[in-house]
Amino acid sequence: MHYPPETASIMLLARMVAMVKQAKDKGRWKKLFSQFCSRTANEEEEIVHKLIGDRFKGQLESLRHLFTDALYDDCLSQWFTREGFRSLFALVGTNGQGIGTSSLSQWVHGCDALELAAPLREELDSFIDQLYKDIERETGDFLNCEGSGLYILQSCCNHSCVPNAESSFPENNFLLHLTALQDIEAGEEICITYLDCCQRERSRHSRHRALRENYLFKCSCPKCESQAGDPDVSSEEEEEDEGDAEAGAGAGAGAGANLEDEMTEV
């Protein structure tokens, strides 16, 4: 069964609890999970994770009660307290690595690498375009196998808007590869980006907003420092998104759905 991608964080929380409950050495697994950052706020910068504030307080409490009824175990009693569950949710929100794999995309990538005469290339491209349309008609938006995972070593990498390494899944499964994007000197810090491709191209103000809300820090990478004098205005794309969100917020029952969608994005 292919679960919708927005359920990934919830399923990951459940799996964490199940792994500890079923383990012979429960202490080892609890220690492993404790290595991930799980703070809900940055007091120094006065930043609170966007999913832990008052906006989603009711949803988080309902989720905590459901988890307690279904999965409670004395060895993990701290995880089921109000503050413990907030920290657990922040852990997944901060460290969860999105996983997207597709055997079809791998095949298409192989087709792209073929050396073909122009007429054959045009015929193949046309076939692939139609194939995607036919599959999408049957599967909707869930074409890829998507999910979320926790990776201890990768989670140790700090963010940079100009990273020298990237995370990827070239084997088309859950195995994460950390690959250098340039030569990295001995002793040089390995940095990845916590932003997607579109976010990285937005203004410094927009990037900082995304990083504050989701990762609780203010970026001071070389790119951000070089743009320190830029106006504190959002990118055009973000302004359009905000306008759509405001329009949706005034649509009565639709506002609740918008909140729910944003909460499950993590």
Side-chain angles (χ1 to χ4, degrees), residues 47-115:
I47 305 172
V48 177
H49 197 288
K50 71 175 184 179
L51 293 181
I52 308 299
D54 292 336
R55 193 179 184 191
F56 298 114
K57 186 176 181 180
Q59 289 97 322
L60 276 176
E61 190 61 11
S62 296
L63 185 60
R64 184 177 73 87
H65 284 301
L66 289 171
F67 259 67
T68 301
D69 292 342
L71 300 169
Y72 181 82
D73 192 284
D74 287 337
C75 73
L76 292 171
S77 59
Q78 176 58 32
W79 284 10
F80 293 92
T81 65
R82 184 174 285 105
E83 190 55 40
F85 190 76
R86 281 160 51 91
S87 295
L88 193 64
F89 207 85
L91 183 155
V92 171
T94 303
N95 299 278
Q97 167 66 47
I99 304 170
T101 63
S102 168
S103 53
L104 177 61
S105 67
Q106 292 292 100
W107 176 77
V108 171
H109 184 71
C111 289
D112 290 340
L114 295 175
E115 295 183 3

Side-chain angles (χ1 to χ4, degrees), residues 189-252:
E189 182 178 14
I190 298 175
C191 292
I192 59 176
T193 180
Y194 298 170
L195 304 173
D196 61 36
C197 295
C198 293
Q199 289 174 323
R200 284 171 58 186
E201 298 306 315
R202 292 183 172 182
S203 68
R204 177 177 181 268
H205 178 73
S206 297
R207 298 196 308 273
H208 278 205
R209 176 178 176 179
L211 292 168
R212 284 198 309 270
E213 291 182 344
N214 294 288
Y215 300 101
L216 308 180
F217 71 89
K218 181 179 179 181
C219 184
S220 57
C221 72
K223 182 175 181 178
C224 286
E225 289 296 296
S226 69
Q227 297 175 342
D230 290 0
D232 286 338
V233 295
S234 300
S235 299
E236 291 181 4
E237 297 94 335
E238 184 176 3
E239 289 171 353
E240 291 175 2
D241 292 343
E242 289 174 350
D244 292 341
E246 289 173 4

Side-chain angles (χ1 to χ4, degrees), residues 6-15 63 67 71 85 89 92 263-264 266:
E6 65 268 18
T7 66
S9 296
I10 309 301
M11 296 301 295
L12 186 55
L13 285 171
R15 185 162 187 174
L63 185 60
F67 259 67
L71 300 169
F85 190 76
F89 207 85
V92 171
M263 185 177 181
T264 54
V266 169

